[in-house]
Amino acid sequence: MKKLLVVFALLLSLLLLMSACGKDDEAKKDNKENNKTAEKADDNDLLAKVKDEGKLLIGTEGTYAPFTFHDESGNLTGFDVEISREVAKRIGVEPEFKETQWDAIFAGLDAKRFDMIANQVGIRPDRQEKYSFSDPYITSAAVLVTHKDNDKVEAFEDIKGLNAAQSLTSNYGEMAKKYGANLVSVEGFTQSVELLASKRVDVTINDRISFLDYTKQRPDAPIKIAATSEDASVSGLMFRKDSDTLVDEVNKALTEMIEDGTYKKISEKWFGEDVLK
């Protein structure tokens, strides 16, 4: 009888222990779910957080002219910087820029070092899977650039057999190759223009914004756009997923800027024309 009582007591203890473990596991699961819910709530209430703190944390490179760079006095400036400052102003907070290298900028957003990125981030499907974007605030396309005296090249198809100044690893270099051009290696748009000006090459394919920036700084450059690609790329301000309230407020600010002419004024200052069209 004593043995049976001992066995019964052991079984009862085991059942109580298993029950306690089960409750502990349920508690841990509930805590985990609650933490996830809290994190999601924090992101969904990001606008409230930004307004409570009175500042919008903005990730940017600070080394990418004319979009985000330092002027001769060392002040952070550029097209993206001015757009972001105006957005923050309309939200009713101060912009606070956090400069970081491009390779680390997405990780910085993930780690919540800043609330949004303003750095000419292209809106692409692969990025949209992980991040949220504002409405596009700049549009660009590939352009075919020639010497201003060149009247023979009027379309991308006309460059077959011609010499094109291109960065060999760029998408534009691949595009020139696809159309049958002979590639002449360069390090950037400035070097391409130098070769075009001296007529040592016939063409270059590059970004329309780069062309506008260059000709804004050097209006006498002997170059022109001969053709523009139909495929345009757009960039937006980038956010963590579920930052909906902040994204909506930023979009509202962008829309107001476009409607009241502020956007056009900033765009013409940096590029000489409206770069949203």
Side-chain angles (χ1 to χ4, degrees):
M1 179 64 78
K2 289 183 179 180
K3 289 183 178 180
L4 287 173
L5 289 173
V6 171
V7 171
F8 179 75
L10 288 173
L11 287 173
L12 183 60
S13 298
L14 182 61
L15 287 172
L16 290 172
L17 180 62
M18 291 175 66
S19 176
C21 288
K23 290 180 179 178
D24 188 50
D25 288 341
E26 286 296 323
K28 288 181 179 179
K29 184 178 179 181
D30 289 341
N31 287 336
K32 189 174 182 180
E33 291 299 323
N34 289 337
N35 287 337
K36 285 184 177 179
T37 302
E39 287 178 5
K40 188 172 182 180
D42 286 342
D43 275 342
N44 281 332
D45 206 21
L46 184 56
L47 176 61
K49 172 182 172 293
V50 166
K51 288 194 171 184
D52 285 344
E53 295 179 355
K55 59 185 178 182
L56 178 64
L57 304 181
I58 305 166
T60 195
E61 279 184 279
T63 56
Y64 185 29
F67 305 105
T68 163
F69 66 104
H70 290 266
D71 61 20
E72 294 178 355
S73 300
N75 299 315
L76 184 66
T77 189
F79 176 75
D80 284 45
V81 173
E82 286 201 27
I83 291 292
S84 300
R85 284 186 174 135
E86 185 64 27
V87 165
K89 176 183 175 183
R90 289 172 188 248
I91 292 176
V93 297
E94 291 295 322
E96 184 174 316
F97 293 93
K98 302 286 187 178
E99 295 180 49
T100 187
Q101 295 179 343
W102 171 257
D103 291 342
I105 203 166
F106 287 13
L109 184 65
D110 294 339
K112 300 184 179 181
R113 286 187 53 223
F114 24 83
D115 305 313
M116 79 177 194
I117 293 175
N119 206 94
Q120 286 299 295
V121 183
I123 302 176
R124 303 185 333 208
D126 59 327
R127 290 174 179 161
Q128 288 175 305
E129 289 180 5
K130 185 175 181 181
Y131 300 99
S132 294
F133 283 88
S134 70
D135 294 333
Y137 69 100
I138 190 168
T139 302
S140 190
V143 291
L144 177 60
V145 183
T146 66
H147 193 283
K148 67 176 184 180
D149 296 334
N150 189 332
D151 296 323
K152 296 180 180 180
V153 176
E154 297 179 341
F156 288 96
E157 291 77 9
D158 296 336
I159 70 174
K160 184 176 181 179
L162 300 183
N163 294 326
Q166 307 290 158
S167 172
L168 300 183
T169 59
S170 71
N171 292 337
Y172 301 119
E174 289 297 319
M175 190 174 180
K177 188 189 297 183
K178 183 184 77 172
Y179 282 108
N182 304 314
L183 302 193
V184 177
S185 178
V186 294
E187 294 182 359
F189 187 73
T190 300
Q191 190 176 357
S192 298
V193 173
E194 291 173 353
L195 294 178
L196 272 177
S198 60
K199 298 185 179 181
R200 285 180 285 172
V201 297
D202 304 295
V203 299
T204 184
I205 297 177
N206 218 291
D207 181 78
R208 174 173 169 266
I209 300 298
S210 296
F211 174 87
L212 293 175
D213 176 51
Y214 187 90
T215 52
K216 179 74 165 55
Q217 305 300 324
R218 303 171 181 80
D220 296 330
I223 57 174
K224 66 179 181 180
I225 293 177
T228 301
S229 171
E230 294 181 358
D231 298 326
S233 61
V234 293
S235 296
L237 302 168
M238 195 172 85
F239 307 80
R240 291 183 298 277
K241 279 287 189 183
D242 301 318
S243 300
D244 297 343
T245 53
L246 180 58
V247 175
D248 289 344
E249 196 74 2
V250 168
N251 284 337
K252 180 182 176 183
L254 288 171
T255 299
E256 291 174 351
M257 290 163 60
I258 293 168
E259 291 177 349
D260 66 21
T262 303
Y263 177 90
K264 184 178 180 181
K265 183 178 179 181
I266 295 173
S267 180
E268 289 180 343
K269 170 185 174 180
W270 290 100
F271 304 110
E273 64 177 74
D274 189 337
V275 291
L276 189 58
K277 297 178 179 179

